[in-house]
Amino acid sequence: MGEDVADIKVFPLYSTLPVNQQAKLFESRPPDNASGSRGRKVIVSTNIAETSITFSILLTLLLDGIAFVVDPGFSKLKVYNPRIRVESLLISSISKANAQQRAGRAGRTGPGKCFRLFTEKAYQSEMQDFVYPEILRSNLGSVILNMKKLGIDDLIHFDFVDPPSPQSLFSAMETLNYLAAINDDGDLTELGSMMAEFPLDPQLAKMVIASCEYNCSNEILSICCMLTVPQVFVRPAEARRAADESKIQFAHLDGDHLTLLNVYHAFKQHGDSPQWCYENFINFRSVQSADGIRQQLSRIMDRFSLPRRSCDFTSKDYYTNIRKALVAGFFMQTAHKEKSGHYLTIKDQQVVQLHPSTCLDHKPDWVLYNEFVVTAKNYVRTTTDIKVDWVVEIAPAYFQSENLPNCEAKRILEKVRAKLIARGRLKA
């Protein structure tokens, strides 16, 4: 930037930032130069710097004070789409309250300014006063399951502080019905009562309980807890190639869920070592948190006398059983590869692609996914290769012909259903 301008240090800040990189935030700013130009330290942050009390205090007290804030006017929010039944991270405009909170980060210990990258007109006339309440943009499955457990059956007339839309309620009820958590009359089933005791999304709870039938509850517990924590793979900008090479050692041919299982097993085999995590580009805090969650879920399983066991590792059914247990919970999140080469979600007909971070080195005909990501393109993330026979056999009600849109996948599913009926593996 020229000899007259002092040096500048730039650091990222986000919730899953590894501890060793967090330490860099507290380095002193570069010294002023001979001409009197001040050295600058710049923090490029997600909205954690806006919302987290801990981080805001640390930033204010330890980072030489914050003199300037640049507010782009956007943030990423998790929004649940009841039509396609997935949560997506969407870039959306912030509210006026968010803007004021961000501006308040400047000038705590001295003079400061906030530069907003949007107009005053946009602030006054286009921004909401407050962000939409979380219940209006969340999956209501767990909420309804717990309300049913408490004996609250009249959901439509329940006095919510911020009433969710009828579509969101009906979609959640339909999902719980397909998961066998409630019956056709809307009453809680024995399975649903058990699912409500797990501090998990209903699909994850169903997956954990169903895993007992497939003799792989130990493995599914590990996968489940790895799905509930922030991203376990670290990919720093200065070492992306090394991080990608390190990830390959954990990669499983059948997909990302089994890759996460490999990571957890390796973490335990190396004595929960932070150093091992650092050397292998694994987020120690995430896997440590996953281990704690696993212990909690194990205690709940023991309370209900659900067996915690593993299939013989040398058995050809070891990984097959794990993938079937995944389907038992996530059969509603499946996609089929069309003849054109792109993937189409089964019921909602969303055109999607496998996320670039996937460990799959091929494009299976059928995949199960954990997350739907909306950017310039639609991606499905954390995917696993599955067999079409499994989805029909495990969730026959969901894949009834009359419930499916007319597409290539429907014709395949109809043929598979007829084959399974002929073999006596499925009732007509």
Side-chain angles (χ1 to χ4, degrees):
M1 297 178 69
E3 294 181 359
D4 294 335
V5 179
D7 290 339
I8 183 172
K9 286 183 179 179
V10 182
F11 301 102
L13 175 60
Y14 48 92
S15 61
T16 58
L17 188 69
V19 175
N20 62 306
Q21 292 189 45
Q22 287 181 26
K24 295 180 181 178
L25 293 170
F26 305 114
E27 293 178 4
S28 300
R29 64 179 177 82
D32 302 343
N33 67 7
S35 62
S37 175
R38 287 176 61 84
R40 299 288 186 188
K41 181 158 58 173
V42 176
I43 311 293
V44 182
S45 176
T46 63
N47 58 353
I48 189 174
E50 167 200 338
T51 57
S52 170
I53 295 174
T54 304
F55 270 113
S56 65
I57 291 173
L58 288 175
L59 287 170
T60 302
L61 298 180
L62 299 179
L63 301 187
D64 310 317
I66 301 172
F68 303 102
V69 168
V70 179
D71 180 8
F74 294 97
S75 68
K76 276 189 175 181
L77 279 181
K78 260 196 174 181
V79 178
Y80 180 74
N81 186 329
R83 188 171 68 83
I84 59 176
R85 291 192 178 90
V86 289
E87 277 188 333
S88 304
L89 271 175
L90 298 179
I91 297 174
S92 57
S93 177
I94 63 172
S95 67
K96 291 177 182 176
N98 292 137
Q100 291 167 4
Q101 185 82 351
R102 293 179 179 191
R105 293 288 170 256
R108 290 279 183 95
T109 59
K113 288 184 179 180
C114 177
F115 296 92
R116 290 173 170 166
L117 306 186
F118 46 89
T119 63
E120 186 176 359
K121 180 182 177 182
Y123 176 84
Q124 296 293 351
S125 60
E126 296 175 17
M127 285 184 173
Q128 301 284 336
D129 288 336
F130 299 96
V131 70
Y132 285 109
E134 191 168 356
I135 195 170
L136 301 184
R137 49 186 173 86
S138 298
N139 181 359
L140 299 177
S142 294
V143 174
I144 291 175
L145 201 57
N146 283 293
M147 289 176 72
K148 291 283 184 182
K149 181 79 172 176
L150 292 169
I152 302 169
D153 291 318
D154 189 0
L155 302 173
I156 298 297
H157 298 101
F158 183 78
D159 191 17
F160 290 99
V161 176
D162 295 289
S165 69
Q167 183 189 9
S168 296
L169 287 171
F170 290 138
S171 174
M173 291 282 285
E174 185 182 35
T175 298
L176 291 173
N177 182 245
Y178 282 130
L179 292 170
I182 59 174
N183 60 25
D184 291 342
D185 296 324
D187 299 323
L188 198 65
T189 64
E190 185 179 347
L191 173 63
S193 179
M194 195 182 299
M195 288 166 60
E197 295 297 320
F198 286 84
L200 299 167
D201 285 340
Q203 288 169 288
L204 287 170
K206 172 67 181 292
M207 179 182 76
V208 169
I209 295 169
S211 67
C212 300
E213 299 174 26
Y214 299 101
N215 294 321
C216 60
S217 47
N218 280 323
E219 287 76 13
I220 287 296
L221 270 179
S222 302
I223 292 172
C224 176
C225 67
M226 293 291 273
L227 291 173
T228 59
V229 297
Q231 182 61 254
V232 298
F233 292 106
V234 178
R235 196 169 181 257
E238 69 276 8
R240 283 179 180 166
R241 178 176 291 183
D244 291 342
E245 289 173 355
S246 178
K247 185 177 179 180
I248 291 172
Q249 68 180 311
F250 304 109
H252 194 281
L253 181 67
D254 291 327
D256 302 317
H257 293 85
L258 296 174
T259 299
L260 291 174
L261 178 63
N262 287 343
V263 172
Y264 182 79
H265 282 167
F267 174 68
K268 298 305 291 181
Q269 286 166 6
H270 288 84
D272 304 3
S273 166
Q275 183 61 30
W276 176 85
C277 289
Y278 174 76
E279 291 170 356
N280 289 275
F281 296 92
I282 300 297
N283 189 321
F284 172 71
R285 287 195 302 170
S286 289
V287 287
Q288 186 183 45
S289 175
D291 193 38
I293 293 169
R294 192 185 189 284
Q295 293 175 30
Q296 180 187 2
L297 298 180
S298 297
R299 289 194 293 271
I300 296 172
M301 289 190 72
D302 293 343
R303 180 150 53 91
F304 286 101
S305 301
L306 293 170
R308 289 191 284 128
R309 55 195 176 202
S310 299
C311 185
D312 181 7
F313 183 72
T314 60
S315 168
K316 62 181 177 60
D317 294 327
Y318 180 77
Y319 288 115
T320 298
N321 285 354
I322 294 171
R323 289 152 67 201
K324 283 183 178 180
L326 291 171
V327 171
F330 286 89
F331 55 84
M332 285 176 274
Q333 291 177 204
T334 50
H336 172 249
K337 186 178 71 174
E338 301 289 294
K339 289 178 180 176
S340 59
H342 66 260
Y343 283 90
L344 211 60
T345 58
I346 304 304
K347 271 202 178 179
D348 309 301
Q349 299 289 279
Q350 297 287 312
V351 178
V352 296
Q353 297 183 31
L354 301 182
H355 196 271
S357 66
T358 184
C359 290
L360 285 168
D361 61 356
H362 61 292
K363 294 183 74 173
D365 290 335
W366 295 81
V367 294
L368 169 150
Y369 60 90
N370 185 64
E371 190 177 0
F372 192 99
V373 180
V374 179
T375 55
K377 299 177 182 177
N378 290 343
Y379 290 104
V380 286
R381 184 159 57 192
T382 313
T383 51
T384 286
D385 181 356
I386 59 172
K387 304 301 179 188
V388 63
D389 296 35
W390 302 345
V391 296
V392 177
E393 200 167 4
I394 291 170
Y398 185 77
F399 292 101
Q400 288 277 8
S401 232
E402 57 268 25
N403 296 335
L404 300 171
N406 191 24
C407 61
E408 187 182 330
K410 177 180 180 177
R411 292 185 285 277
I412 295 171
L413 289 163
E414 286 174 340
K415 289 179 182 177
V416 170
R417 176 180 286 273
K419 181 184 73 174
L420 292 174
I421 291 172
R423 293 179 178 176
R425 290 166 57 187
L426 198 65
K427 291 181 180 179

